[in-house]
Amino acid sequence: MIEVSRDFKQAVYAPIRKTAAKVIFEILDNAAYADAVISANSEAKISKKGQLVNKVRNMTHKYATFEQDYFKLDGSFRIPPPPGEDDSELGWWSGDLCGADGVFAVPQVVTFTFDEPHDSMGLTIHFDALTNEHATDFDIIAYSAGDTLIASETVRGNNANVYVWVRGLDAYEKIEIIIRKWAKPFRRARIVEIDFGVFQVYEGDKLIKVNLIEQMNVVGDTLPANEIKFTIDNSDKNFNILNPIGFYRFLKERQELTMGIGIEIEENVFEYVTTKGYYLTDWQSDEGALTTTFTARNIFELLEKEYLQSGAFEKLYDLAEDILIKAGVTYFKIDEKLKEIPTKGFLEKITFRKALQCIGIASKSAIYQNRDGVLIIKPFVILDESTSYIYFAGPDMFTGMTTPTVYSGYDMLNITFDNVYSEPQIKLDKLIQSLVMTVYVSGVKEEHTFMNTDVKEGASMKCDNPLINSVGHAADIAQWIIDESNLRALYQVNWRQNPALECGDIVIIEDSFGTEKQSRITKQEFEFAGYLSGKTETKGGV
């Protein structure tokens, strides 16, 4: 469950509540980031101009330098790290300082050159937001091949830490940013990030509706991709195909989206739960309705290319890391327990997506993308009597008794009749009677059958995973799959929804019989069209 404030917990299940949603759409030319070569006419020793295109838009800290009246002794500044010592985010710092009037004697120039032509709907410049400093006077110039001028922007009197230049730029191969004056005297110019394009925020009347689907499938054949679908008001025709100055021609697959669902915690103040790491896959303009609908899915949708293992790996951790790096996954976290599991790896070609699912089953792990856009590989604990949100605080120092304590989000994990639109539906999934495991031993396939001793009648299932290389490993995985299949109660509830709940959370869904069975969330659907509602599916014991 996402950590939220106490006010959020009180407001989300209140009889009367107000909700909101917003989508932040990065209409960027992603290829330009990797293609950019950066140069500057001056640069400080602590500067890291290569970070200008890494999509990190704030410095890690305020960094102390001997610029006049800059380094405050209030504990908010850090000593800059030595060059190349760590990955702290600094961006580009000019070597020269401006004068008493903020003007640079020699204008500071940062130049981006590209091997290939690129197209974007303008440019976004991120100055130093942490210290609230920025260039006031600067120029932006875009060139095509042969230094032919495409467009330019002369900015005077800027007072924003983030400057957005909205202008269709087609086939540019060079961009210059010329800083002439800074907001404060005796300062270095500082740019943290350059985005090749613009950010569009859709909320309120501009956001007609938005739908988010999150899923978790631990023992299935594939990794499901989460999906965001949202519809915006296109009455300004920005996304019409024929609009020569619109955004449509700059839409590209893999442009990133962030979505937030907010709960009003006091009048006109909303606390948002944000989900990141979704990439544009489809878009369509409806001319009659004056709306445009976009579809985006998470990282799993982008992992259908073939993975070819190079070299030998002895542990699943190293194999998983190699897969994620070669797949281009930037943010991931692999549980250390995978370092204890031996492997022979893959002998044949396999897609990145399928390879990750094989690792998940071979390590008894859940593989999912969290709300921060980080791909997680984490051992999956089967739900049983000992799995709950009740923790034991240890012996009391006076009585010696062990005291149970309830997780502070207990009320959040109860889905009661007060918040449902109709009584939850419950059905029983098929039981597995026999499980055929394929074991890969020295390149030879062997099949071994394992029985569910608690079941007299049921389905037969087969698991063919090239990472299972011993009968002992197969037996362990088979028991894990059988135990998970024995949790056959499938719940579905149509209710007001709670954006703090995630797939994998253990909840109690109220029913007419007062059984209060625990179950684990396997699918979440959030629907916002002026108000929040949705569906939750869970899996648990009978």
Side-chain angles (χ1 to χ4, degrees), residues 60-74:
T60 308
H61 305 286
K62 297 178 185 178
Y63 290 104
T65 64
F66 291 113
E67 298 165 44
Q68 185 172 318
D69 298 327
Y70 178 66
F71 179 9
K72 295 181 180 179
L73 300 177
D74 60 358

Side-chain angles (χ1 to χ4, degrees), residues 109-178:
V109 183
V110 181
T111 304
F112 300 83
T113 55
F114 307 89
D115 290 333
E116 301 291 334
H118 294 278
D119 309 317
S120 63
M121 192 61 180
L123 204 69
T124 303
I125 305 174
H126 302 262
F127 296 110
D128 187 357
L130 288 185
T131 60
N132 192 29
E133 292 191 15
H134 46 267
T136 57
D137 297 353
F138 58 97
D139 304 319
I140 309 171
I141 308 174
Y143 303 91
S144 62
D147 282 352
T148 302
L149 178 67
I150 297 175
S152 64
E153 176 84 339
T154 299
V155 182
R156 298 294 181 264
N158 170 57
N159 59 6
N161 296 323
V162 178
Y163 184 82
V164 181
W165 180 30
V166 181
R167 171 69 182 266
L169 302 176
D170 294 289
Y172 59 83
E173 295 189 17
K174 179 180 174 181
I175 290 176
E176 286 183 340
I177 300 172
I178 305 170

Side-chain angles (χ1 to χ4, degrees), residues 74-89:
D74 60 358
S76 65
F77 282 76
R78 300 286 185 92
I79 301 300
E85 186 166 293
D86 66 9
D87 58 355
S88 298
E89 190 71 24

